[in-house]
Amino acid sequence: MRNKGFKISYELIMVFILIGMIIVFGALTGGLFFKPSTMIGCTSDVAYLGVQAMAMTMIILTAGIDLSVSYQMVCSAMVCAWCFAKFSAAMGAGPAIFLAVIVCIISGFVFGGINGFIAQHTPINPWLITMSTMYIFQAISWFFKTSFAFAAGNPVVDIGNKKIGGIVPTQLIVLLIAFAIFWVLEKRTTFGRYVHAIGYNENAVNYSGVDAGKMKFWVYTLGGIMSAVAALMYLGRSWQVNQETGMNMNIEVIALVVLGGTSTAGGVGGVTGSLLACLIIGVLKKGLALMGLPGTVYNFIVGIVLICSLIFFAYLQKRKKMVSRKMAIANMDQ
Amino acid sequence: MDAKAKIDFSDIILKLENINKSFPGVKALQNMQIELARGEMHAVCGENGAGKSTMMKVITGVHKADSGNIYLNGEKVTIREPNDAYGKGIAIIFQETSLFKDLTVLENMFMGHEPIVKLGGFIHNIDYAAMRKKADEIFDFLGITGQIDYDAKIDNLGVASKQMVEIAKALTYDAKVLIFDEPTAALTNKEVRALFRTIARLKDQGMSMLYISHRMEEIFEIADRVTIIRDGSYVNTAKIEEVTEQQLIAWMVGREMNEMYPKAQVEIGSMILKVEDLCRSGEKDGFPLDHVSFEVRRGEIFGIAGLAGAGRTEMAECLCGLRKYDSGHITLEGKDLAPKNYREAINDGFIYVSEDRKKYGLVVAMSIEENLTMSILYRLTKNKLIDFDAEDRLSDEYMKDLRVKAPSREFIVENLSGGNQQKVLVAKALCAKPKILILDEPTRGVDVGAKSEIHRIVSSLAQTGLTIIMISSDMPELLGMCDRLMVLKAGKKTGVLERDEFSQEKVLKLAL
């Protein structure tokens, strides 16, 4: 997708909003927010959401959705913790955590693959597929429930909480790496081109000799893998997960993608917007917390921001359509 | 016959003058005109897509004309919306009935303008007694008193009765002009007779009617005059007793076939494609094919004719691996093929241009370039990443070759005209450098200018040695463009015609 103009303008506006918010919060908190450790550090609160949003962007670009995303994360985290608890005595902590991380990623791959397999082989609406698997993943996580929590000294926790140079959190670095990978995937590979095309017209993709079903399988599987990565990030930050962790988090991830300008109708949007949306939400969360406002205020403001951005996005879309229609009429008269 | 003599053709009730109407990419009506005399039965004839329906929609206010005048009883009128047309006494009987199927005959007839009684000055109540009285009058007028139960639900009525209710409904508006849009399409012979009796009665009472139909014998039976339109333009109006069927068809088609189809002389080579005993049951999807065998020679335009459901598209999709077949052999240049999927078939040298451009052919919301390279994007990669320079070069080349009219390669396909979209579709196919190009209805929904340009392109492609298989329902197109023609009927091959034995009659005989 190299249609410039419109897309850049929406993303540019998001950059301005981000800068504006940093300035406003900086002023309201008496400069507290301007401290690099705060300003950059606030991203560690939302990085695990952003990582999931990267894959979710690709899913939504195909006109799909993944409601089970947060339960994939919880489930993978539980599997990881369970594995570590089970084998750390026998193998020693080092090899056990290595094994647990690998098992965690594999479980994410499997969970995403289940969604992908159903999406590939049935015509069922992805909302319904992932709503069903959401319950399944939620139930599976019960099997792996452990009272065990990760502790300091555990490499996952150590890396997860580390700030490089005391300023840049590893969480942010993981997010940026994920963004870089997904940006290349979306903008520079045939896979990304087809993901956009499937969102617009899946039939035409199939009739171009491309297996759209296979693409959909991989999009959902990537979702699972990124959920597993998010699980490790979450464990690193919070030391433990429980069933409630997944609640509403799926909606939070979807909200990030939508705020980033990706249309749930498919085709329109991209990962850049989702990254910017993630940073905006991070700043908003931290800024309001620093001002000592309760969580409900945060919810209220996120709701307002979302609806405003959607209205604005709809307006931009309409304007873009009018402009291109004018061009089309001019072109016809040639 | 007496009635016809009585009509005064200078007493004009409805007149359209220089009506123009464009939709994005298509000029649907150009300087359209028609004159309907009082008490006249006036037939409107034209091919599919000639603009008959658009014209009726302009008259009944569904579409607003871009320019031009409509005169009713000599007065210039503007018809803003369907209700406006009803108010002015113009009513249309649609092909598909517009009745509410869960309501009764009476309720449907007066839908939207029910007679009202006021109870206590403020409660508005529907006056069923008045409705019945008016309905009695109308049914009497139509000569069908007692034939339809007023309280029957529409759902329980047959097609013919529904149509009568439609006509009765139109008369509740005191219609002066009635428009029939293909009224006999779904009727049995007996019902057609009944309808014609009603129409004759209406005519006796002085009703002016426009009648759209394909069926020549009907037009000759009931019409006083006929207007022929073609490609959105007015062609001619004639008194029915002064024209022959052949003449009407010539006006409708409007062109000598030889002028229309620029068929180039091409050296036909040896056999390139051989299909033997191709079978599919069609149980899961699509239509069946039954032991279809044929050979196609290099540089040839090989036509496939047949009615809808004959298995033409299925045949093409089997060749391309887009559909599964149960048994049979496909041999291309002496090599046995069993295409598992379309990608493999593309690499073997097949390419399929779908009949449904918007559904299967193009991603209209994406740019010309992205569409052009969609089937072969995997060939334009460097280290797994898309090579944008190569993509730009390729799209510029093919846009120039096929003369796609667009400001740039980044232009969104949706905003191109139908003909240009079709060219993008053909260019997309050629990008893959195919050996066999399969065109399925290549000119459907394309205006005449673009149509002949596409024919020129097809012809010049054949000259370069490309082998083309062309599926079409447009008989003149097949006869004009093809070197040989295979006719399918219900999945079976019923014959192959050489160019020198082509005729519409022969093809129809094999297809029916």
Side-chain angles (χ1 to χ4, degrees):
Chain A
M1 294 296 290
R2 285 175 298 153
N3 308 324
K4 288 157 194 132
F6 157 72
K7 277 191 64 194
I8 284 183
S9 67
Y10 186 76
E11 282 153 10
L12 256 184
I13 286 160
M14 290 180 71
V15 171
F16 287 135
I17 289 174
L18 187 61
I19 294 168
M21 275 171 53
I22 291 171
I23 292 169
V24 169
F25 280 127
L28 289 174
T29 56
L32 198 59
F33 203 82
F34 287 138
K35 266 172 63 186
S37 63
T38 317
M39 204 160 78
I40 299 172
C42 70
T43 53
S44 63
D45 294 338
V46 286
Y48 69 96
L49 291 176
V51 163
Q52 295 177 83
M54 292 298 117
M56 183 68 86
T57 310
M58 301 295 264
I59 293 171
I60 293 181
L61 280 176
T62 67
I65 197 86
D66 187 356
L67 294 176
S68 69
V69 60
S70 57
Y71 295 97
Q72 291 177 43
M73 190 201 95
V74 169
C75 214
S76 300
M78 296 258 186
V79 168
C80 181
W82 175 84
C83 199
F84 182 69
K86 191 112 178 151
F87 295 108
S88 59
M91 296 170 76
I97 195 66
F98 184 70
L99 181 73
V101 167
I102 288 176
V103 168
C104 175
I105 300 289
I106 290 173
S107 70
F109 181 91
V110 171
F111 297 145
I114 291 170
N115 282 334
F117 184 82
I118 303 171
Q120 179 183 4
H121 293 284
T122 69
I124 304 169
N125 187 325
W127 285 88
L128 304 178
I129 296 173
T130 57
M131 190 179 75
S132 315
T133 55
M134 175 179 89
Y135 287 114
I136 295 170
F137 298 148
Q138 209 174 358
I140 290 175
S141 62
W142 272 105
F143 289 117
F144 296 101
K145 201 170 186 288
T146 60
S147 52
F148 177 82
F150 279 25
N154 186 315
V156 170
V157 173
D158 281 357
I159 296 172
N161 282 318
K162 202 169 179 169
K163 286 189 177 178
I164 293 167
I167 296 170
V168 184
T170 45
Q171 301 262 351
L172 176 62
I173 289 172
V174 175
L175 173 61
L176 291 178
I177 291 171
F179 168 69
I181 293 170
F182 273 86
W183 187 85
V184 170
L185 214 51
E186 186 217 329
K187 308 268 191 221
R188 291 277 180 264
T189 67
T190 56
F191 177 70
R193 177 76 61 85
Y194 293 139
V195 161
H196 280 277
I198 288 169
Y200 287 122
N201 184 350
E202 190 177 333
N203 285 323
V205 173
N206 279 321
Y207 273 72
S208 299
V210 179
D211 189 344
K214 210 164 104 188
M215 302 284 156
K216 286 205 283 191
F217 171 81
W218 281 108
V219 157
Y220 286 93
T221 305
L222 276 176
I225 295 171
M226 294 323 282
S227 292
V229 172
L232 294 173
M233 293 166 79
Y234 192 87
L235 279 177
R237 236 179 102 254
S238 311
W239 301 23
Q240 61 173 342
V241 284
N242 54 43
Q243 245 93 33
E244 283 72 40
T245 308
M247 247 189 275
N248 290 331
M249 196 200 286
N250 47 0
I251 304 299
E252 270 182 272
V253 173
I254 294 167
L256 280 187
V257 177
V258 171
L259 184 61
T262 298
S263 158
T264 48
V268 183
V271 291
T272 315
S274 302
L275 178 76
L276 289 170
C278 180
L279 298 179
I280 286 177
I281 292 295
V283 167
L284 192 63
K285 255 188 181 167
K286 192 71 175 185
L288 293 173
L290 281 179
M291 287 168 67
L293 293 165
T296 42
V297 174
Y298 163 76
N299 281 355
F300 181 75
I301 290 179
V302 167
I304 296 280
V305 167
L306 252 181
I307 199 70
C308 289
S309 74
L310 286 172
I311 291 168
F312 181 64
F313 188 69
Y315 161 76
L316 275 184
Q317 289 270 20
K318 195 176 160 193
R319 216 189 65 160
K320 182 190 164 208
K321 244 201 177 112
M322 270 164 56
V323 168
S324 55
R325 209 184 126 87
K326 265 186 206 147
M327 275 173 77
I329 288 166
N331 186 40
M332 216 170 78
D333 292 339
Q334 273 172 18
Chain B
M1 284 299 131
D2 279 6
K4 284 185 188 178
K6 268 190 274 172
I7 297 163
D8 176 7
F9 288 120
S10 61
D11 179 13
I12 291 157
I13 179 161
L14 178 73
K15 182 177 171 187
L16 265 64
E17 198 179 69
N18 294 331
I19 297 284
N20 287 297
K21 174 77 197 169
S22 297
F23 297 110
V26 198
K27 284 183 179 149
L29 295 178
Q30 274 173 292
N31 292 325
M32 181 56 72
Q33 62 181 76
I34 194 165
E35 283 182 354
L36 177 65
R38 198 178 306 280
E40 177 194 21
M41 179 58 162
H42 195 128
V44 179
C45 260
E47 289 182 296
N48 280 339
K52 291 169 302 199
S53 296
T54 313
M55 182 161 104
M56 296 310 139
K57 282 178 178 161
V58 168
I59 295 175
T60 52
V62 176
H63 292 322
K64 201 178 167 324
D66 299 336
S67 64
N69 302 320
I70 301 175
Y71 297 93
L72 195 62
N73 288 318
E75 260 175 67
K76 195 176 156 186
V77 292
T78 0
I79 298 166
R80 268 175 244 99
E81 46 160 25
N83 264 336
D84 219 15
Y86 277 130
K88 293 184 163 67
I90 302 171
I92 184 162
I93 314 297
F94 285 108
Q95 276 174 43
E96 310 271 320
T97 69
S98 58
L99 302 171
F100 296 90
K101 62 185 171 64
D102 293 320
L103 297 181
T104 67
V105 169
L106 210 55
E107 284 162 343
N108 265 290
M109 279 173 65
F110 293 91
M111 176 57 66
H113 61 126
E114 295 87 349
I116 299 291
V117 276
K118 285 187 184 171
L119 295 177
F122 58 95
I123 300 170
H124 289 218
N125 218 1
I126 294 173
D127 186 352
Y128 277 91
M131 268 159 74
R132 264 171 216 282
K133 198 160 151 272
K134 184 88 198 274
D136 278 339
E137 281 168 30
I138 290 167
F139 275 50
D140 198 36
F141 182 79
L142 287 171
I144 53 167
T145 309
Q147 285 180 22
I148 296 171
D149 178 6
Y150 292 160
D151 298 319
K153 288 231 167 87
I154 292 297
D155 215 13
N156 301 331
L157 298 181
V159 182
S161 304
K162 279 184 201 164
Q163 210 165 46
M164 282 302 161
V165 176
E166 282 265 14
I167 295 172
K169 180 182 165 187
L171 294 179
T172 62
Y173 288 98
D174 292 323
K176 298 287 181 288
V177 177
L178 267 186
I179 302 171
F180 291 90
D181 190 1
E182 305 266 1
T184 56
L187 300 186
T188 65
N189 271 337
K190 214 176 135 199
E191 289 165 339
V192 170
R193 299 321 320 164
L195 176 69
F196 282 5
R197 275 198 299 279
T198 308
I199 286 177
R201 209 181 154 88
L202 284 167
K203 216 172 101 176
D204 285 342
Q205 316 267 8
M207 181 70 74
S208 317
M209 289 172 278
L210 282 172
Y211 188 90
I212 302 174
S213 180
H214 285 299
R215 299 188 184 179
M216 286 291 162
E217 65 278 11
E218 286 178 7
I219 291 168
F220 278 94
E221 183 182 343
I222 61 170
D224 299 308
R225 285 194 300 177
V226 54
T227 288
I228 293 94
I229 66 175
R230 181 208 320 148
D231 305 322
S233 301
Y234 171 84
V235 177
N236 212 339
T237 299
K239 289 193 179 135
I240 203 75
E241 54 271 19
E242 291 168 6
V243 286
T244 61
E245 199 171 319
Q246 277 71 23
Q247 214 166 349
L248 285 189
I249 292 172
W251 281 336
M252 271 161 64
V253 179
R255 47 198 110 96
E256 289 296 313
M257 245 161 55
N258 306 344
E259 296 167 22
M260 183 64 196
Y261 300 102
K263 170 94 181 128
Q265 283 305 314
V266 174
E267 189 88 5
I268 307 249
S270 53
M271 183 186 72
I272 178 166
L273 173 72
K274 188 174 178 188
V275 176
E276 287 169 290
D277 289 323
L278 202 77
C279 292
R280 70 190 302 273
S281 67
E283 272 163 12
K284 274 200 218 145
D285 54 354
F287 294 105
L289 290 171
D290 188 5
H291 294 279
V292 180
S293 305
F294 59 93
E295 292 177 0
V296 184
R297 292 169 299 192
R298 196 182 300 274
E300 175 174 56
I301 302 181
F302 184 81
I304 302 182
L307 304 174
R312 296 170 304 176
T313 296
E314 283 74 9
M315 182 73 244
E317 292 184 340
C318 281
L319 289 179
C320 292
L322 282 159
R323 270 183 206 270
K324 299 263 175 297
Y325 54 92
D326 301 334
S327 63
H329 294 283
I330 300 170
T331 320
L332 182 70
E333 294 180 317
K335 212 174 91 190
D336 249 347
L337 301 179
K340 277 198 290 291
N341 55 47
Y342 189 27
R343 170 73 59 90
E344 214 168 85
I346 290 176
N347 284 334
D348 288 334
F350 286 101
I351 203 95
Y352 172 69
V353 177
S354 165
E355 58 181 316
D356 196 333
R357 186 175 65 227
K358 288 204 168 117
K359 191 165 174 201
Y360 297 111
L362 298 171
V363 181
V364 290
M366 290 175 96
S367 71
I368 296 174
E369 178 174 32
E370 284 163 330
N371 272 287
L372 280 182
T373 57
M374 192 155 286
S375 346
I376 50 136
L377 197 57
Y378 66 97
R379 293 184 194 165
L380 299 174
T381 53
K382 243 194 233 163
N383 308 323
K384 300 259 174 204
L385 301 181
I386 300 170
D387 180 351
F388 288 126
D389 291 335
E391 197 189 6
D392 290 352
R393 256 180 278 126
L394 192 77
S395 11
D396 282 347
E397 183 190 329
Y398 279 92
M399 276 177 71
K400 206 171 128 235
D401 274 7
L402 289 178
R403 284 186 282 172
V404 177
K405 248 172 50 183
S408 77
R409 56 175 179 261
E410 265 127 44
F411 200 67
I412 302 297
V413 170
E414 209 163 15
N415 298 320
L416 292 172
S417 68
N420 272 310
Q421 287 186 11
Q422 196 69 10
K423 283 194 222 164
V424 171
L425 190 55
V426 174
K428 174 184 170 186
L430 295 179
C431 274
K433 306 228 178 330
K435 292 173 187 146
I436 310 261
L437 173 67
I438 305 174
L439 299 171
D440 198 347
E441 303 282 3
T443 59
R444 177 183 283 175
V446 157
D447 59 58
V448 189
K451 197 168 172 176
S452 70
E453 194 162 353
I454 286 165
H455 288 147
R456 251 199 307 282
I457 292 166
V458 169
S459 189
S460 66
L461 287 174
Q463 265 180 312
T464 64
L466 185 63
T467 309
I468 295 162
I469 297 178
M470 187 152 103
I471 299 171
S472 179
S473 301
D474 185 338
M475 190 92 80
E477 173 175 285
L478 279 180
L479 299 183
M481 294 300 298
C482 295
D483 296 294
R484 285 190 308 146
L485 194 55
M486 173 171 77
V487 186
L488 290 180
K489 175 190 166 187
K492 284 201 181 81
K493 182 175 90 172
T494 49
V496 173
L497 299 171
E498 295 289 335
R499 186 164 176 85
D500 51 16
E501 48 181 1
F502 279 0
S503 77
Q504 294 221 5
E505 291 74 33
K506 273 188 193 154
V507 176
L508 271 180
K509 217 175 198 174
L510 291 169
L512 288 170

